[in-house]
């Protein structure tokens, strides 16, 4: 397998193949994501409805996938916090006696694999996808899983990634593997 592209996102910077392609001074992830989306001219209106974990995964993936047909690209992502950031927001909407209104739009994002679903929809992917919750980035585990998918013939490429987001702490490390 060959790693062809790498995107990292942290500290208000997006790096693609060791080159900074976007940087801002904002400290809020939400503001950073909006600025990146607008500056990088990513035309996908559903982005604004996504939770922050999905936005992080989407931004990192989009830097690698934005050009070309990826219908035969599989996705394998992992993180430590699962969808805990969104889970807390949803729980707050349940706990509020004054504003009790659990939103189905928030509830949708209380599963971490929704972010790979958003990417799959955008790129019309018709392959395997998985989202693992691990204590830390385990690139060997992701690569071994990717190798099984590639050997099975179910995909031609695999986008692997670590997308961790909890409150204002976030980082993404996403890379594309080819046979």
């Amino acid at each position: 397998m060959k790693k062809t592209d790498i995107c990292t996102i942290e500290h208000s910077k997006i790096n693609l193949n060791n080159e900074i392609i976007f940087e801002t001074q904002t400290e809020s992830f939400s503001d950073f994501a909006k600025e990146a989306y607008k500056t990088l001219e990513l035309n996908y209106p559903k982005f604004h409805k996504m939770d922050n974990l999905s936005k992080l995964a989407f931004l990192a993936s989009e830097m690698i996938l934005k050009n070309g047909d990826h219908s035969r690209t599989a996705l394998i992502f992992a993180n430590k916090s699962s969808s805990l950031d969104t889970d807390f927001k949803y729980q707050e909407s349940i706990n509020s006696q004054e504003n009790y209104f659990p939103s189905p739009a928030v509830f949708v994002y209380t599963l971490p694999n929704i972010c790979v679903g958003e990417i799959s929809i955008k790129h019309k992917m018709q392959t395997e996808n998985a989202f693992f919750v691990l204590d830390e980035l385990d690139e060997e585990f992701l690569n071994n899983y990717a190798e099984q998918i590639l050997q099975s013939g179910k995909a031609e490429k695999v986008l692997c990634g670590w997308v961790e987001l909890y409150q204002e702490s976030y980082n993404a490390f996403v890379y594309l593997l080819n046979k």
Side-chain angles (χ1 to χ4, degrees), residues 70-114:
H70 291 284
S71 60
R72 300 274 303 134
T73 300
L75 294 168
I76 304 170
F77 280 27
N79 76 4
K80 182 176 182 170
S81 298
S82 186
S83 57
L84 198 55
D85 188 66
T86 302
D87 295 348
F88 275 124
K89 290 174 182 156
Y90 185 70
Q91 186 63 45
E92 285 173 358
S93 74
I94 292 171
N95 291 347
S96 173
Q97 291 182 355
E98 303 82 40
N99 297 315
Y100 179 81
F101 187 72
S103 170
V106 175
F107 177 73
V108 165
Y109 291 99
T110 58
L111 293 171
N113 65 325
I114 295 301

Side-chain angles (χ1 to χ4, degrees), residues 140-156:
E140 183 179 352
F141 172 80
L142 296 176
N143 292 348
N144 288 340
Y145 199 92
E147 189 170 5
Q148 290 176 16
I149 291 172
L150 292 171
Q151 287 178 353
S152 75
K154 292 180 180 178
E156 295 170 358

Side-chain angles (χ1 to χ4, degrees), residues 129-141:
N129 71 59
F131 195 106
F132 296 97
V133 179
L134 307 171
D135 285 334
E136 60 188 17
L137 170 61
D138 186 343
E139 203 172 334
E140 183 179 352
F141 172 80

Side-chain angles (χ1 to χ4, degrees), residues 157-169:
K157 301 174 192 170
V158 180
L159 188 67
C160 296
W162 177 262
V163 287
E164 174 61 21
L165 182 134
Y166 181 66
Q167 295 175 336
E168 290 303 320
S169 176

Side-chain angles (χ1 to χ4, degrees), residues 26-35 52 55 168 170:
T26 187
E27 292 184 26
S28 154
F29 175 78
S30 186
D31 292 342
F32 163 76
K34 285 177 197 170
E35 278 187 52
N52 283 339
K55 286 178 181 179
E168 290 303 320
Y170 62 92

